[in-house]
Amino acid sequence: MRNRGVVRAQARGWVFMAVVWAAVPAWAQAPSAPAAPEAAATAAVRDTMAQRMQACVMCHGQQGRATRTGYFPRIAGKPEGYLFHQLKNFREGRRRNPAMRHLTQHMSDDYLRDIARYFSALDLPYAPALAHGLTEQQQQAAERLVFKGVPERQIPACTACHGSSMAGRLPAMPGLLTLSADYLMAQLGAWRTDLRAAAAPDCMADVAKRLTHDEVSVVARWLSAQSPPTGTKPEAASALPLPVHCGSGNP
């Protein structure tokens, strides 16, 4: 009796397997033939910096040209020295962003410089200007900060470091135009509260802490609403010293 039960159980098992196998499409039943060498070569992903940087464009936009509608900044066309320093700052914890720390924590200086060189070489159009919504008085206050600064409070003009067109200055000063106002206010706020730092002496932390909350708001909104002409690039390095000493002033 026991043997007869085993036989019945085995028979039921074979019937079940036959039903399952019959339900599987023919293409799935047959072992797949090895791909032809030509097809395999076509399917292979080319190992280029553009391909490797797909992890970056998920946040920073295609080719790093993020628009001001989001929080993540444009990195295309920024000076190589600036991008290199920021990648190091993320890796070493001077700038706090879990995703950027995760991406950079095991990267060497040489590879970080390769990334910086790739994005700095991209020459792409800027996003169109957006309305800043400032009153005439607020606009005047912003333009004073950008073009003249407040010398009596040791606040240099933004153009003195970031270039006369505010598109950046080689080797390591970034452009600020078309960055979102939210992003600019967040970065200035992070410097004011020691949540962001750069290599000592940290000139931007010193400047940001001398600005009032209202000044941070108006200058960020004014900068976000400016769109440079096509072909605008960071200015060449100047023999004149910066108005403040910056630890990240050179790559």
Side-chain angles (χ1 to χ4, degrees):
M1 294 294 293
R2 182 179 178 186
N3 291 340
R4 188 177 304 171
V6 172
V7 170
R8 288 199 189 103
Q10 288 176 339
R12 285 195 296 269
W14 284 113
V15 170
F16 174 76
M17 291 300 295
V19 172
V20 172
W21 186 255
V24 177
W27 59 264
Q29 297 177 18
S32 57
E38 296 80 7
T42 303
V45 176
R46 296 182 61 191
D47 185 15
T48 63
M49 283 302 292
Q51 181 62 39
R52 295 181 187 182
M53 295 304 103
Q54 291 306 301
C56 303
V57 303
M58 290 177 65
C59 293
H60 291 279
Q62 287 299 315
Q63 297 176 295
R65 62 168 93 197
T67 66
R68 289 152 304 162
T69 56
Y71 177 80
F72 299 97
R74 174 190 175 101
I75 52 178
K78 288 281 197 300
E80 178 184 332
Y82 171 76
L83 294 174
F84 173 65
H85 281 305
Q86 300 319 301
L87 289 168
K88 284 186 66 176
N89 289 343
F90 282 120
R91 186 187 67 189
E92 296 166 12
R94 286 187 288 268
R95 290 190 69 172
R96 302 180 188 182
N97 182 288
M100 287 300 301
R101 178 68 185 275
H102 177 74
L103 286 172
T104 59
Q105 61 182 330
H106 300 302
M107 292 181 179
S108 67
D109 281 3
D110 287 342
Y111 193 62
L112 294 183
R113 194 173 290 282
D114 286 343
I115 295 173
R117 187 177 299 114
Y118 168 77
F119 281 109
S120 70
L122 297 178
D123 185 8
L124 304 168
Y126 283 81
L130 295 177
H132 49 57
L134 298 172
T135 66
E136 183 176 351
Q137 185 177 3
Q138 289 173 323
Q139 183 170 335
Q140 290 174 354
E143 290 175 351
R144 180 190 178 193
L145 288 166
V146 171
F147 297 109
K148 297 181 180 178
V150 189
E152 61 271 25
R153 289 164 49 203
Q154 296 181 299
I155 299 174
C158 300
T159 54
C161 294
H162 295 276
S164 58
S165 63
M166 293 298 292
R169 176 180 172 183
L170 299 176
M173 291 296 170
L176 302 180
L177 302 184
T178 75
L179 294 172
S180 75
D182 287 343
Y183 174 79
L184 291 168
M185 285 189 279
Q187 300 315 304
L188 289 168
W191 265 307
R192 287 165 58 85
T193 57
D194 297 320
L195 292 177
R196 176 175 175 175
D202 190 348
C203 55
M204 272 308 305
D206 294 337
V207 171
K209 289 173 181 176
R210 296 185 186 118
L211 295 170
T212 67
H213 291 291
D214 287 343
E215 288 171 335
V216 168
S217 176
V218 298
V219 78
R221 290 162 64 190
W222 187 90
L223 288 169
S224 72
Q226 312 306 311
S227 188
T230 300
T232 300
K233 295 182 180 179
E235 292 181 6
S238 173
L240 298 175
L242 296 174
V244 288
H245 186 43
C246 296
S248 297
N250 295 292

